[in-house]
């Protein structure tokens, strides 16, 4: 039975947007795009190569100018992932941008650990045969292409086996849609199944994509546990316990690289999945632990107690109009979601504080109906008595049976009664006898974001920032949908390696108290030594103490798989957010400043305080200069309110709770001003709503796009390509070269000079792993450190 197909058919020319390109150049063929992840037009999983590489159409005209002969307008992917087998169908739409017919082959690099079982290739209904080239034949052919076409991007494909068709023509201006289907045996990462969709060829160029759309279905013979993408923010829906539907779509943006999906199977109420990575035996390893509780809703007979929710609503004058309408709608939504066993209280404040019932009350139908009527009558006006409202809420929470949730909404700063931040925080900490979790919603730029963050630190909570123009009721609904689910509270996580405690450290998040059903939590940390892991998770569920256990293994450096290096960078992003938080709330310390700079440089994670690293005139090894500029930038944290303060704290939270390393990259796309004035009215660029779990990445981008221009002493504009992640390494642009972030001054001085396309160049390629070849697949000078030795790859010309 035929299980795969491959067809090419004619489409009428259409005006389409461009997919994944370098800056548009006008060459022999006019406006064109990049391929093969760097030099030729990128084509997702497959690409076109010339029948005659010596043709002038395919020749580069300058060392830094790639050959552009066609573009890819669209990629559509449909995948069925059944246990450990993937059936993938890919359609790619190519357009010849030349004024002459191209004679090309279609080349399909073999997926990792997978095989194409059988293919058929059609051109206008006529079948063309194809053949599978093994690694040796592919290496010879692509080495020859690199030499003759002088195109370094092709070195990425030296080595792996490929499938290629016979030569076929693509007329000038014509469009073709290539469809292929293949099956692939998936590999495992610990207990997790791992699927990679190669998109790197389309990802390595710099201009926005046309359109890429993915639809995938996971069908498992056993109940699914964690489903996670370390690379992309995919949409995951779980229609039943054994099925997951994954969607991802992008248009007009640069592709973020290969898309990776991981999933686990298990029937535990709190499934745990562990991934470890260790680069060097002499250094700590890094691990990621996924937790996604599937806690049952207790039946009426088994219910012991419900949720305790205290809603505190700002109705000061600044809330007039749409804000108070949305706030009333949000409270009404929460009231409707309460169950009869739940208890609640409503507190509204302006100059004075007004409590609905002055105690927690049962959420029976009559009480909820009356509370809804009470909320609808609230009017906005007056000042903001923040302190008294918070004290009233915490005093009410002290009577709760269990840990209550205080949802505190404000759009301003204290103006009535006690207004001193230190006194408000100290009094709140003293009053929190009920161990309430404070969830603060700061709406707009006028909120005192430092106050909210200090309260969150002291009251076991989280600050959530709602940008100007964002719907308050939507955010409150999202929040309550989360905390309204069954929860494991007062959580304690214990991890031992080979029976030894304190074998792991610097776990983030470090403030995990409650786990809510359906809410995936990503925990990252460091481990001192490899070995067998025992994980014990305990917490209160519906009045009873529950314990869940997991066994796994953390690898040594020899057993570590390079594809799991994302864990180290995710840990670095979380650690950076925590460092900024510590400096913000507890004051600057030299060791924290140094660590912030080191992590930002090593992992290419720019922050509002280290964005200067992207400046091409900054010496990457000038420690004193970096300290001076970072400390000067950190003065911005003195701002308590205003646009800059709002965005800084929202960005900090997004780093602290980032679900994947790319979340930090999305925050850094809009470059930060280095020296915004440290005043309460400072305006600058930062981030947006810090939210728990997978929401952090989604929450970050809108405010960056909508943020006010930075009031900076230096221009904030920096090239997107100033910092690049290439195959697990960070490179910084310096002049016309890319410099490895690991390179010391001595290594830079003593670097071996290697000319592109020389025999030494190809010898060096043989020393690299398949993914590391991308370091040399660049159209500009590169200084890279390999096994502690530096090489400077220079142009042949």
């Amino acid at each position: 039975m035929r299980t795969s197909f491959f067809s090419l058919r004619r489409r009428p020319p259409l005006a389409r947007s461009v997919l994944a390109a370098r800056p548009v150049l006008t060459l022999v063929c006019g406006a064109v795009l990049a391929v093969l992840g760097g030099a030729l037009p990128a084509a997702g999983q497959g690409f076109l190569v010339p029948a005659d590489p010596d043709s002038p159409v395919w020749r580069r005209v300058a060392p830094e100018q790639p050959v552009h002969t066609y573009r890819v307008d669209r990629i559509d992917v449909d995948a069925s992932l059944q246990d450990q087998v993937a059936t993938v169908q890919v359609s790619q739409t190519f357009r010849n941008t030349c004024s002459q017919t191209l004679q090309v082959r279609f080349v399909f690099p073999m997926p990792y650990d997978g095989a194409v079982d059988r293919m058929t290739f059609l051109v206008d209904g006529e079948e063309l045969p194809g053949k599978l080239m093994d690694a040796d034949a592919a290496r010879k052919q692509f080495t020859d292409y690199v030499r003759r076409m002088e195109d370094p991007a092709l070195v990425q494909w030296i080595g792996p086996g490929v499938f290629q068709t016979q030569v076929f023509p693509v007329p000038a201006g014509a469009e073709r849609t290539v469809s292929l289907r293949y099956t692939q045996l998936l590999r495992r990462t610990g207990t997790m199944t791992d699927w990679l969709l190669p998109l790197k060829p389309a990802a390595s160029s710099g201009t926005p994509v046309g359109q890429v759309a993915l639809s995938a279905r996971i069908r498992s013979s056993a109940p699914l546990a964690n489903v996670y993408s370390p690379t992309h923010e995919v949409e995951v829906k779980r229609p039943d316990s054994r099925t997951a539907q994954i969607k991802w779509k992008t248009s007009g943006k640069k592709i973020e690289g290969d898309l990776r999906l991981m999933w686990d199977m298990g029937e535990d109420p709190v499934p745990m999945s562990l991934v470890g990575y260790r680069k060097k035996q002499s250094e700590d390893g890094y691990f990621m632990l996924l937790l996604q509780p599937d806690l049952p809703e207790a039946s009426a007979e088994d219910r012991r107690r419900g949720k305790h929710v205290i809603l505190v609503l700002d109705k000061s004058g600044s809330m007039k109009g749409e804000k108070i309408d949305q706030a009333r709608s949000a409270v009404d939504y929460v009231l409707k979601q309460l169950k009869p066993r739940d208890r609640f209280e409503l507190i509204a404040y302006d100059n004075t504080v007004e409590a609905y019932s002055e105690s927690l009350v049962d959420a029976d139908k009559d009480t909820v109906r009356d509370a809804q009527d009470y909320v609808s009558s609230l009017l906005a006006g007056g000042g903001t008595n923040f302190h008294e409202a918070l004290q009233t809420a915490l005093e009410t929470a002290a009577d709760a049976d269990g840990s209550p949730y205080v949802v505190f909404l404000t759009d301003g700063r204290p103006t009535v009664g006690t207004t001193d931040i230190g006194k408000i925080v100290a009094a709140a900490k003293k009053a929190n006898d009920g161990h309430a979790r404070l969830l603060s919603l700061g709406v707009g730029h006028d909120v005192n974001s430092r106050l909210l963050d200090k309260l969150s630190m002291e009251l076991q909570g989280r600050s959530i920032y709602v940008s100007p123009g964002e719907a308050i009721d939507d955010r409150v609904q999202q929040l309550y949908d989360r905390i309204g689910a069954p929860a494991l509270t007062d959580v304690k996580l214990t991890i031992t390696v080979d029976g030894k405690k304190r074998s792991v450290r610097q776990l983030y998040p470090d403030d995990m108290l409650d786990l809510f059903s359906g809410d995936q939590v990503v925990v990252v940390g460091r481990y001192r030594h490899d070995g067998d892991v025992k994980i014990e998770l305990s917490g209160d569920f519906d009045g009873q103490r529950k314990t869940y256990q997991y066994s796994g293994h953390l690898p040594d450096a020899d057993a570590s798989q390079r594809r799991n290096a994302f864990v180290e960078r995710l840990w670095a992003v979380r650690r950076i957010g925590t460092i900024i938080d510590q400096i913000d709330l507890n004051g600057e310390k030299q060791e924290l400043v140094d660590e912030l700079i080191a992590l930002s440089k090593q992992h290419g994670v720019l922050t509002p305080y280290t964005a200067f690293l992207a400046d091409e005139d900054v010496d990457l090894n000038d420690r004193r200069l970096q300290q001076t500029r970072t400390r000067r930038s950190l003065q911005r944290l003195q701002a308590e309110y205003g646009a800059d303060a709002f965005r800084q704290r929202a960005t900090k939270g997004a780093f602290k709770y980032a679900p994947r390393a790319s979340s930090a990259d999305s925050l850094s796309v809009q470059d930060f001003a280095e020296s915004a004035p440290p005043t309460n009215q400072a305006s600058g660029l930062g981030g947006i709503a810090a939210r728990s779990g997978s929401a952090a990445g989604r929450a970050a981008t809108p405010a960056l796009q909508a943020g006010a221009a930075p009031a900076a002493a230096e221009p904030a504009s920096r090239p997107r390509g100033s910092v690049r992640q290439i195959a697990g390494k960070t490179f910084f642009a310096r002049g016309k070269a890319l410099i490895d972030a690991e390179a010391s001054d001595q290594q830079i001085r003593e670097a071996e000079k290697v000319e592109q396309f020389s025999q030494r160049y190809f010898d060096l390629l043989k020393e690299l792993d398949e993914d590391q070849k991308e370091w040399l697949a660049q159209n500009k000078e590169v200084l890279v450190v390999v096994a502690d030795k530096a090489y400077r790859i220079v142009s042949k010309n």
Side-chain angles (χ1 to χ4, degrees):
M1 183 178 76
R2 175 173 295 173
T3 57
S4 61
F5 70 91
F6 184 43
S7 64
L8 181 67
R9 61 183 183 276
R10 187 183 300 273
R11 290 283 183 92
L14 296 173
R16 294 179 184 264
S17 57
V18 172
L19 171 71
R22 296 184 184 278
V24 176
L25 303 174
T26 301
L27 301 179
V28 177
C29 301
V32 286
L33 295 170
V35 178
L36 289 184
L40 297 173
Q45 292 193 314
F47 49 88
L48 304 181
V49 297
D52 179 14
D54 293 323
S55 168
V57 174
W58 297 85
R59 299 289 290 178
R60 296 199 303 164
V61 298
E64 293 188 11
Q65 291 182 340
V67 178
H68 296 297
T69 54
Y70 68 85
R71 72 177 182 228
V72 183
D73 287 334
R74 183 182 178 93
I75 301 175
D76 292 288
V77 181
D78 188 65
S80 176
L81 312 172
Q82 179 74 45
D83 292 327
Q84 214 172 332
V85 177
T87 301
V88 184
Q89 180 172 316
V90 183
S91 294
Q92 301 172 207
T93 301
F94 299 87
R95 180 184 294 276
N96 180 353
T97 58
C98 290
S99 58
Q100 62 188 72
T101 297
L102 296 179
Q103 299 291 333
V104 297
R105 303 179 191 272
F106 183 87
V107 175
F108 174 66
M110 302 301 290
Y112 69 85
D113 296 347
V116 177
D117 53 358
R118 185 178 176 185
M119 278 189 166
T120 302
F121 184 76
L122 300 176
V123 179
D124 295 332
E126 180 181 351
E127 181 173 326
L128 284 183
K131 67 176 182 178
L132 177 65
M133 301 176 62
D134 62 21
D136 289 339
R139 181 179 296 107
K140 183 178 184 302
Q141 175 172 299
F142 280 94
T143 299
D144 182 57
Y145 278 160
V146 171
R147 284 195 174 103
R148 294 165 66 188
M149 295 176 65
E150 297 185 354
D151 203 318
L154 286 168
V155 305
Q156 295 178 82
W157 311 111
I158 294 178
V162 298
F163 175 90
Q164 71 172 18
T165 69
Q166 287 185 346
V167 175
F168 65 93
V170 182
E175 182 181 275
R176 295 288 187 267
T177 295
V178 176
S179 298
L180 64 96
R181 184 177 179 183
Y182 62 89
T183 58
Q184 178 181 1
L185 179 64
L186 303 180
R187 55 191 178 184
R188 304 296 295 271
T189 298
T191 61
M192 304 191 75
T193 303
D194 194 337
W195 177 55
L196 184 76
L197 178 68
L199 292 173
K200 192 188 322 182
S204 60
S205 48
T207 60
V209 303
Q211 181 167 311
V212 183
L214 164 72
S215 176
R217 294 157 303 285
I218 301 174
R219 296 184 178 92
S220 174
S221 57
L224 285 169
N226 288 290
V227 178
Y228 173 75
S229 172
T231 58
H232 292 70
E233 192 170 332
V234 298
E235 176 188 347
V236 180
K237 293 185 177 179
R238 308 281 287 269
D240 57 62
S241 64
R242 297 170 186 256
T243 306
Q245 298 174 343
I246 293 90
K247 300 283 186 182
W248 177 70
K249 187 174 183 178
T250 186
S251 59
K253 296 181 180 178
K254 182 179 181 292
I255 297 177
E256 299 173 3
D258 294 342
L259 187 148
R260 188 174 175 191
L261 195 66
M262 307 168 73
W263 65 93
D264 205 350
M265 295 177 288
E267 300 186 38
D268 295 332
V270 184
M272 306 183 203
S273 305
L274 183 69
V275 178
Y277 172 72
R278 191 168 194 169
K279 182 163 55 177
K280 296 181 180 179
Q281 202 65 26
S282 58
E283 299 176 357
D284 278 2
Y286 300 84
F287 70 89
M288 176 184 71
L289 176 66
L290 299 177
L291 305 169
Q292 188 159 12
D294 184 18
L295 303 170
E297 190 75 56
S299 64
E301 297 79 17
D302 296 333
R303 288 172 181 164
R304 292 175 172 82
R305 64 187 183 196
K307 290 274 192 309
H308 304 287
V309 181
I310 302 167
L311 295 165
V312 187
L313 175 62
D314 184 346
K315 64 181 186 72
S316 61
S318 58
M319 290 288 292
K320 282 183 179 180
E322 185 179 11
K323 285 184 182 179
I324 194 65
D325 290 339
Q326 289 185 348
R328 286 195 292 252
S329 173
V331 174
D332 184 70
Y333 175 85
V334 173
L335 291 171
K336 289 177 180 177
Q337 303 308 309
L338 293 172
K339 299 176 176 61
R341 64 172 176 155
D342 296 333
R343 303 179 75 200
F344 75 96
E345 170 64 307
L346 302 175
I347 297 171
Y349 68 100
D350 46 32
N351 288 63
T352 60
V353 176
E354 180 181 310
Y356 166 69
S357 64
E358 300 183 351
S359 66
L360 288 164
V361 293
D362 294 334
D364 58 72
K365 289 184 179 179
D366 290 341
T367 305
V368 168
R369 189 179 300 113
D370 184 62
Q372 289 174 310
D373 182 67
Y374 166 76
V375 171
S376 67
S377 68
L378 293 175
L379 299 175
T384 307
N385 197 336
F386 190 107
H387 170 69
E388 187 177 342
L390 183 57
Q391 286 292 302
T392 303
L394 295 175
E395 290 169 4
T396 303
D399 296 330
D401 178 17
S403 299
Y405 297 97
V406 176
V407 180
F408 195 100
L409 188 149
T410 180
D411 77 332
R413 51 192 183 274
T415 60
V416 176
T418 302
T419 59
D420 181 84
I421 287 181
K423 292 180 179 179
I424 292 174
V425 173
K429 183 178 180 181
K430 183 177 180 181
N432 193 25
D433 294 335
H435 303 287
R437 276 75 158 140
L438 178 68
L439 302 171
S440 303
L441 276 81
V443 181
H445 293 162
D446 289 334
V447 298
N448 191 315
S449 53
R450 169 170 280 178
L451 171 59
L452 296 189
D453 277 9
K454 282 183 174 289
L455 287 169
S456 295
M457 178 182 68
E458 297 293 351
L459 302 185
Q460 311 170 99
R462 188 76 52 86
S463 300
I464 302 169
Y465 293 101
V466 185
S467 61
E470 188 177 1
I472 300 170
D473 48 352
D474 287 348
R475 294 300 300 276
V476 174
Q477 289 177 22
Q478 293 166 7
L479 173 63
Y480 189 77
D481 286 345
R482 177 174 178 259
I483 67 174
L488 193 69
T489 61
D490 296 320
V491 166
K492 181 179 179 182
L493 183 66
T494 303
I495 304 176
T496 61
V497 182
D498 287 340
K500 300 174 183 177
K501 295 183 179 180
R502 304 195 184 281
S503 295
V504 300
R505 53 193 174 197
Q506 292 184 307
L507 270 64
Y508 304 111
D510 55 3
D511 55 356
M512 184 174 62
L513 291 173
D514 302 335
L515 294 179
F516 300 96
S517 188
D519 187 19
Q520 187 173 72
V521 177
V522 182
V523 180
V524 292
R526 301 173 68 175
Y527 63 93
R528 293 190 294 113
H529 57 86
D530 58 280
D532 293 330
V533 179
K534 298 291 184 184
I535 300 175
E536 184 174 281
L537 179 74
S538 61
D540 293 334
F541 178 61
D542 200 33
Q544 291 186 326
R545 195 70 180 173
K546 299 286 187 180
T547 300
Y548 307 92
Q549 296 180 331
Y550 173 86
S551 297
H553 186 82
L554 290 172
D556 60 16
D558 293 335
S560 283
Q561 299 172 351
R562 192 183 303 276
R563 64 179 180 270
N564 293 333
F566 74 89
V567 177
E568 178 180 355
R569 191 163 188 259
L570 176 56
W571 176 88
V573 170
R574 296 275 188 92
R575 175 61 183 163
I576 284 171
T578 300
I579 289 172
I580 298 171
D581 192 40
Q582 291 174 348
I583 292 174
D584 182 21
L585 302 182
N586 302 320
E588 180 186 307
K589 291 182 175 60
Q590 186 60 54
E591 60 268 24
L592 292 178
V593 174
D594 289 343
E595 188 179 0
L596 173 61
I597 296 169
L599 289 172
S600 186
K601 174 190 168 186
Q602 178 182 351
H603 299 281
V605 180
L606 297 187
T607 73
Y609 321 104
T610 57
F612 62 84
L613 289 171
D615 290 343
E616 295 196 3
D617 59 348
V618 170
D619 184 347
L620 292 174
N621 294 315
D622 189 336
R623 180 180 176 184
R624 180 172 296 181
L625 172 66
Q626 292 168 13
Q627 287 176 341
T628 300
R629 297 184 73 166
T630 300
R631 298 177 82 165
R632 188 172 70 197
S633 296
L634 284 167
Q635 294 177 15
R636 294 173 59 187
L637 285 171
Q638 296 175 17
E640 294 179 356
Y641 60 89
D644 194 49
F646 175 93
R647 296 190 181 96
Q648 285 186 84
R649 270 126 205 159
T651 300
K652 173 186 68 177
F655 276 110
K656 283 184 65 178
Y657 303 106
R660 58 191 60 82
S662 59
S663 300
D665 295 333
S666 67
L667 288 173
S668 300
V669 169
Q670 297 286 337
D671 298 303
F672 300 110
E674 177 192 354
S675 304
T679 67
N680 283 346
Q681 296 299 329
S683 174
L685 291 181
I688 177 61
R691 295 169 58 189
S692 63
S694 62
R698 287 193 299 274
T701 305
L704 284 169
Q705 295 173 341
E714 301 180 24
S717 176
R718 296 178 178 89
R720 181 188 177 101
S722 294
V723 183
R724 294 183 58 185
Q725 289 290 317
I726 305 175
K729 269 186 179 291
T730 299
F731 291 84
F732 289 85
R734 292 295 181 266
K736 295 184 177 181
L738 292 174
I739 306 298
D740 191 335
E742 296 180 15
S744 66
D745 285 337
Q746 182 176 352
Q747 287 174 320
I748 293 174
R749 287 193 304 269
E750 299 175 355
E752 178 184 344
K753 185 177 179 180
V754 178
E755 184 180 280
Q756 274 185 339
F757 320 125
S758 67
Q759 187 55 51
R760 180 68 181 112
Y761 179 77
F762 288 104
D763 290 342
L764 181 58
L765 281 171
K766 294 177 183 178
E767 299 177 20
L768 302 178
D769 294 340
E770 294 302 330
D771 60 331
Q772 294 175 333
K773 292 175 181 177
E774 190 179 356
W775 297 340
L776 275 61
Q778 306 303 316
N779 274 305
K780 63 189 313 181
E781 183 177 325
V782 177
L783 188 141
V784 60
V785 177
V786 180
D788 296 324
K789 178 175 173 57
Y791 300 88
R792 184 180 293 273
I793 312 300
V794 298
S795 172
K796 179 180 178 181
N797 298 319

